[in-house]
Amino acid sequence: MDFTKTQAMLLLLCGITLPFATAGRSFTVDYKNDCFLKDGEPFRYISGSIHYNRVPRVYWKDRLLKMYMAGLNAIQTYIPWNFHEPAPGLYDFKGDRDLVSFLQLCQDLGLLVILRPGPYICGEWDMGGLPSWLLKNKDIVLRSSDPDYIRAVDKWMGKVLPMIKPFLYQNGGPIITVQVENEYGSYFACDYNYLRHLAKLFRSHLGEQVVLFTTDGAGKSFLKCGALEDVYATVDFGPGGNVTAAFEAQRYAEPHGPLVNSEFYTGWLDHWGKPHSVIRTAVVVKSLNEILEMGANVNLYMFIGGTNFAYWNGANTPYFPQPTSYDYDALLTEAGDLTEKYFAVRDVIKMYKKIPDGILPPSTPKFAYGTVEMKKLRTVAESLDILSFSGPVKSLYPLTFDELNQAFGFMLYRTTLPVDCPRPTPLSSPLNGVHDRAYVTIDGVAAGILERDKAISINVTGRAGSSLDVLVENMGRVNFGKHINDFKGLVSNLTLGADTLTNWVVYSLSIDEAVRDGLIWEAGAHQDNDATPSLTPPPAALSQPAFYGGSFQIPDGIPDLPQDTYIHFPNWRKGQVWINGFNLGRFWPSRGPQVTLFVPAHVLSTNSVNNITILELEAAPSPPLPCVVEFTDTPIINATIRPMVPYTRERPNLL
Ligand SMILES: *[C@@H]1O[C@H](CO)[C@@H](O)[C@H](O)[C@H]1NC(C)=O
Ligand SMILES: *[C@@H]1O[C@H](CO)[C@@H](O)[C@H](O)[C@H]1NC(C)=O
Ligand SMILES: *[C@@H]1O[C@H](CO)[C@@H](O)[C@H](O)[C@H]1NC(C)=O
Ligand SMILES: *[C@@H]1O[C@H](CO)[C@@H](O)[C@H](O)[C@H]1NC(C)=O
Ligand SMILES: *[C@@H]1O[C@H](CO)[C@@H](O)[C@H](O)[C@H]1NC(C)=O
């Protein structure tokens, strides 16, 4: 810092208040010498991605310090719009969303920041960071010059960019470069006017000095629609390929200037139902060495992946949602633990720059709290009075989440069977309009599961007038490609045999609020009506979606508790889990590859009992299996994937 007391005094005397020293600070592109210039000196960054939205705030410092100690001089993060503007004009920058504190922390630790404010971020994040309320205009063309989209973008950027402006390098802060959009060349719209509008908007808020850049796949075809005049074009590519050839793609768009790989993949993402991704350390190390040898700038994506808590995961098409863990096989695990890959990469960096002296923070200890007995509290159907604050809406045809202003979670659709179905009759979504998974019960008995792109029809039986409940789960919005306008709920009609089902009663459900307020735990709700007679016995392996509760105490007399832990779901199938009202995310051990969920210590209490609430959608363990969850000190995110079994037939217990 070249900020002297005298300068501070001068600023004070002149009545100018700037948060940081600015004298002589500049960050620019040197086209003549193919490098960045920081304060006029050649500069190369070695950076790593951390998404503050995927790491609890209490751990920001620990993770950033570990990045700093690996020899990084910069970090890269996205700003997910939907994380900060849950409803139009309603902003949230508190707690885990305190962007300004995150930037300040980077500054305090001596890390520069490469900022990617979107508005679209991809990032395996719900809808690529775009708020789902944009879909109120059903025909909106996202990531284009569509006036409705631009209006919302302008307003959001008008809020967030002024917040980050004081943190620009030239203003005394850590932010050296700012990305415009994200991999726009991979999107069908190819709307240069939109990119131009963003660049102008960013400059109008951040000043003409700011170094703006774009990032695209390392291929001419991507750079064609992704690069823009006066915005520095960079590329992204993973290890194992031809580094020289990859940078040649960047040279197609930027004949001169620094070489930059904005996303060098240290690992890869996962999907439910597909094997866990692993990228070998040796491959990462070899390509990283080649990149650094060329004098290029690099950002390791991810350095730490973290967690998609609550409902924040995205999805790819054909529909495959990403799991709760965003471990990414990165250099630090989801829980921030040091890995063999961390040390190997640090050894490579060491060959090119000095690694800071000082103590490397150790991996945080984990504690196995053991098993906790879980008791059935009530079914979802029994809980509608406490879950549906606004009461149901009647509609001839199904309404979407978006039409009822519900962004995440679950909605219940209720109607009656129009005809007798003594023999198995197809209950179908002919247009594949279940977004994304529907748990069907008839007269209170589980009848099967419909799933987007996987199971568009099940056979059911029942009588005319039987009650039909369809609980629909939003499993995460598509975050990449042309299907990001991802409406949720029943987005088209359901049919029973030849009949279109009509006269729905639709319940928007506020499950998180009900869990937080302890409503689900209130006694006396549950009456076991799973045994209601029907024409044919229900599929033995499914039961009604229901809430389960259990409590545990942090043991006395052991120092330094609570510590982080992992929750394991032996013989549970699929659902959502909260501890003390904190939504840890989705579990789906029956599909994998993720089996345990990360539980950060700060959600646990030593002062009172800790309350676990589970919404199990398919079937909880039933006798003789114990109905328990277990806290362990070891994560499992790489279980073997089992073949998918049709949901209406009995399935063995998979764990
Ligand atoms: C990598 O690509 C460069 C440039 O296209 C080429 O000259 C070189 O032969 C390639 N190396 C290998 C090992 O294929
Ligand atoms: C429904 O039943 C019909 C007739 O028994 C059968 O052909 C079909 O495969 C069944 N569909 C499903 C999804 O089980
Ligand atoms: C359901 O079908 C009706 C009649 O064909 C149609 O008007 C309506 O748009 C459909 N609704 C949905 C959500 O697809
Ligand atoms: C768990 O629930 C009990 C009973 O409602 C309550 O007294 C306790 O404070 C809760 N624990 C936490 C950590 O919120
Ligand atoms: C899962 O990962 C652990 C820890 O890295 C490893 O020991 C184990 O062999 C892996 N299991 C599978 C099925 O790949």
Side-chain angles (χ1 to χ4, degrees), residues 516 518 521 550-552 579-581 603-612:
R516 196 191 52 217
W521 281 65
S551 297
F552 70 104
I579 295 187
N580 299 328
V603 311
L604 302 176
S605 168
T606 45
N607 303 327
S608 65
V609 296
N610 293 282
N611 305 311
I612 310 166

Side-chain angles (χ1 to χ4, degrees), residues 480-550:
F480 179 77
K482 60 172 183 276
H483 299 294
I484 53 173
N485 293 47
D486 193 4
F487 300 89
K488 291 304 184 186
L490 295 181
V491 307
S492 62
N493 288 303
L494 292 189
T495 57
L496 182 68
D499 298 308
T500 293
L501 292 171
T502 55
N503 296 318
W504 293 92
V505 179
V506 188
Y507 293 82
S508 178
L509 303 180
S510 306
I511 296 180
D512 286 79
E513 289 80 350
V515 170
R516 196 191 52 217
D517 298 345
L519 299 181
I520 288 164
W521 281 65
E522 276 166 18
H526 179 60
Q527 300 131 24
D528 217 313
N529 62 354
D530 277 2
T532 315
S534 68
L535 294 180
T536 51
L542 289 178
S543 59
Q544 283 195 74
F547 293 100
Y548 293 78

Side-chain angles (χ1 to χ4, degrees), residues 195-205 208 212:
L195 276 195
R196 272 189 208 109
H197 175 83
L198 286 182
K200 216 173 118 201
L201 181 68
F202 281 31
R203 288 214 167 89
S204 76
H205 287 294
E208 291 298 321
L212 298 181

Side-chain angles (χ1 to χ4, degrees), residues 92-108:
D92 188 350
F93 289 98
K94 294 187 301 294
D96 289 343
R97 293 168 169 78
D98 191 342
L99 170 63
V100 160
S101 292
F102 180 78
L103 294 172
Q104 184 63 56
L105 195 53
C106 296
Q107 168 91 340
D108 296 345

Side-chain angles (χ1 to χ4, degrees), residues 29-49:
V29 173
D30 181 350
Y31 288 96
K32 218 153 91 204
N33 297 302
D34 295 340
C35 64
F36 289 113
L37 291 179
K38 181 167 158 279
D39 305 333
E41 299 290 324
F43 175 81
R44 178 250 288 276
Y45 66 70
I46 303 174
S47 160
S49 280

